[in-house]
Amino acid sequence: MRETLVKFEEFKDSLVGRIPKDWEVRKLTDIASYQNGKSFPSSDYSESGIPLLRPGNLPDDDFVLWDEAHTTYLPLKWAELAPDYIVLAEELVMNLTAQSLEDQFLGRVCMTPPDTFCLLNQRIARFRAKDCYLPFLFWALKGTYFRAQIDRIPQGTKVQHIYNSDLDAIILPMPKEQSEQRAIAEILFTLSALVRSQESLIVKLKQMKAGLLHDLLTRGLDENGELRDAIAHPEQFKDSPLGQIPKNWEVFKLSEIVPHAEYGISVSLDDEDGIPVLRMNNLKDGEVDLTDLKKSASSKAANLLLQPLDVLFNRTNSIEHVGRTAIWRGQIERASFASYLVRLLPDQSKLIPEYLNVWLNLPTTQLLIRRYATPGVHQVNINPTNLRKVLIALPQKTSEQQTIVERIAAHDTRIRAEEAYRDKLKLQKQGLMHDLLTGKVRVKGAKPVKEDTSQLAALTKA
């Protein structure tokens, strides 16, 4: 970013509060025109043709998203029948409806990405600049001033909606000079690009983890800490009921190496004081999350305390949540666990708890154990007795198990570090976005707006 950010001290009072003296408050309809989409017949919806831009295509991000789950198509004839509703690249669109106001889906704005050619649904509005820099308007419509006005729109109890009269009443503070508008947009798009790049890296790391897990838990590590290779060294492998495994591995029924399974407590969890009692929602991605804890003052909680490296298995819930597993690492001094969780106690001379936790969280293992789920009235149940009928292949040496776990933990540490950096970038973007769009921080040395037809491309490359 070539501009210099500086604090600005001279403000004036306005309809939206204090703004810089050389800014102005403009009506949305004075700086941009808007057009509502068309209600196309649902009978014409198809799996190919021209994409129809609908609310589901507007994610909480900068650009319209075309994904399989939310994309509907219309026949090519509609391009000729409704040319006024064709949307092209680098256009600003807004969602006019939402099922609730709380999720801030109402009024969500996105830019259309390059090569866009689609049709506009009636629940979306398209904006075009009249007397402002369109990419700046995009950020202004994401800002606090716009959000505050949307939140004040009277809404019903069901579908929320922004009407034309609501848009006509919107006012926005903004720099008079489009060069400053451009500079603000450039900075914010640059920060957004950094966040997206970081998110892409995290996705790649998680994909790599899936491959790493498969390799480590089927091939293991040799005495040099290298993955065994069944093609180069077939003599290092043998056949088993679970397929080909390393020669120094064994196949067990889980009951042979997890001899004990202990149910949690069934008590009221509405006490403000007492011992924290872990529930299903506290088991996330193989670890215990302490952000939403309930407590119990019952003596039962005090008599059934968790010990570090206890493995907790969720035995009862909906089919997508039953089987959720996490390991307790003693994050707090005392904690117990609810009755629909089961504590699995492995024979640690054969199976270390961390390895059990990793194995139970494998997608393939989750599918396997859900075959034992028995239906209830509103949920399913996996009996620990049935769970321990499942076969598991693992290294005979717990030292190899430990090395495998450490490799996975190192990869998880990298992912968490990248997620923390992404979250830091998001906070920086959020704070700077507020400061720039309120004039609390100004951009000095802004360059004139370029006369080109690809404003957004110029900004994202800046």
Side-chain angles (χ1 to χ4, degrees), residues 263 279-280 313-319 321-324 339-342 373-384:
Y263 289 85
R279 299 165 294 145
M280 185 275 292
F313 176 85
N314 181 52
R315 65 182 179 88
T316 301
N317 210 282
S318 59
I319 190 64
H321 295 305
V322 70
R324 185 182 292 187
S339 59
Y340 43 83
L341 301 183
V342 175
T374 55
V377 178
H378 299 295
Q379 53 192 6
V380 298
N381 179 72
I382 298 178
N383 186 294

Side-chain angles (χ1 to χ4, degrees), residues 22 42 50 55 60 74 82-83 92 109 116 120 183 190 216 225 242 254-255 272-273 285 288 295 318 417 441 451 459:
D22 59 344
S42 58
I50 303 176
D60 185 17
L74 288 168
L92 195 164
V109 293
T116 296
L120 195 65
T190 300
L216 288 172
L242 294 177
L254 210 55
S255 59
E272 293 185 5
D273 298 318
D285 299 323
V288 172
K295 297 180 179 180
S318 59
V441 170
E451 293 294 333
L459 292 185

Side-chain angles (χ1 to χ4, degrees), residues 98-334:
Q99 296 303 314
S100 70
L101 196 60
E102 289 73 20
D103 63 4
Q104 295 194 348
F105 191 70
L106 191 71
R108 182 174 289 175
V109 293
C110 285
M111 299 292 290
T112 56
D115 303 322
T116 296
F117 185 83
C118 63
L119 291 164
L120 195 65
N121 175 271
Q122 79 274 15
R123 292 181 290 169
I124 304 288
R126 181 238 313 272
F127 288 79
R128 285 175 172 162
K130 293 194 297 185
D131 188 23
C132 72
Y133 190 57
L134 185 67
F136 170 82
L137 177 62
F138 167 78
W139 290 107
L141 293 177
K142 280 182 171 286
T144 54
Y145 287 123
F146 176 73
R147 190 75 247 166
Q149 292 173 81
I150 291 298
D151 290 345
R152 288 197 295 268
I153 296 174
Q155 297 293 341
T157 58
K158 295 183 179 179
V159 176
Q160 317 296 318
H161 193 80
I162 298 175
Y163 295 95
N164 289 357
S165 57
D166 300 320
L167 293 175
D168 293 343
I170 295 294
I171 56 175
L172 297 168
M174 58 192 301
K176 291 180 181 179
E177 298 295 331
Q178 287 199 21
S179 59
E180 186 173 356
Q181 296 175 24
R182 183 194 192 281
I184 290 171
E186 177 179 328
I187 291 168
L188 294 176
F189 271 117
T190 300
L191 281 173
S192 271
L194 288 174
V195 172
R196 285 195 302 276
S197 176
Q198 190 67 13
E199 288 177 337
S200 295
L201 173 60
I202 292 167
V203 169
K204 290 179 182 177
L205 287 173
K206 289 183 176 180
Q207 291 170 342
M208 288 171 60
K209 180 184 175 181
L212 179 67
L213 283 170
H214 177 268
D215 288 341
L216 288 172
L217 297 179
T218 57
R219 295 160 57 187
L221 298 168
D222 62 22
E223 57 276 6
N224 298 315
E226 301 293 333
L227 281 169
R228 296 184 183 89
D229 188 337
I231 297 176
H233 297 284
E235 72 280 0
Q236 296 180 358
F237 290 81
K238 66 182 179 182
D239 293 330
S240 80
L242 294 177
Q244 196 175 57
I245 61 173
K247 275 192 173 180
N248 62 344
W249 284 33
E250 292 290 340
V251 174
F252 297 96
K253 280 187 179 179
L254 210 55
S255 59
E256 296 177 286
I257 51 176
V258 184
H260 303 292
E262 192 171 13
Y263 289 85
I265 58 174
S266 180
V267 294
S268 173
L269 298 180
D270 54 3
D271 297 318
E272 293 185 5
D273 298 318
I275 294 174
V277 179
L278 302 186
R279 299 165 294 145
M280 185 275 292
N281 64 294
N282 298 117
L283 312 186
K284 295 181 180 178
D285 299 323
E287 300 292 334
V288 172
D289 184 341
L290 301 180
T291 56
D292 181 20
L293 283 178
K294 300 294 185 181
K295 297 180 179 180
S296 173
S298 168
S299 60
K300 292 182 179 179
N303 292 330
L304 189 66
L305 295 177
L306 287 165
Q307 300 299 318
L309 302 184
D310 280 349
V311 176
L312 295 173
F313 176 85
N314 181 52
R315 65 182 179 88
T316 301
N317 210 282
S318 59
I319 190 64
E320 65 268 22
H321 295 305
V322 70
R324 185 182 292 187
T325 305
I327 191 166
W328 173 248
R329 300 192 184 276
Q331 293 94 320
I332 53 179
E333 185 177 354
R334 297 202 302 168

Side-chain angles (χ1 to χ4, degrees), residues 24-35:
E24 56 189 350
V25 176
R26 304 286 302 276
K27 291 186 66 175
L28 176 59
T29 49
D30 287 340
I31 61 174
S33 60
Y34 65 89
Q35 174 193 16

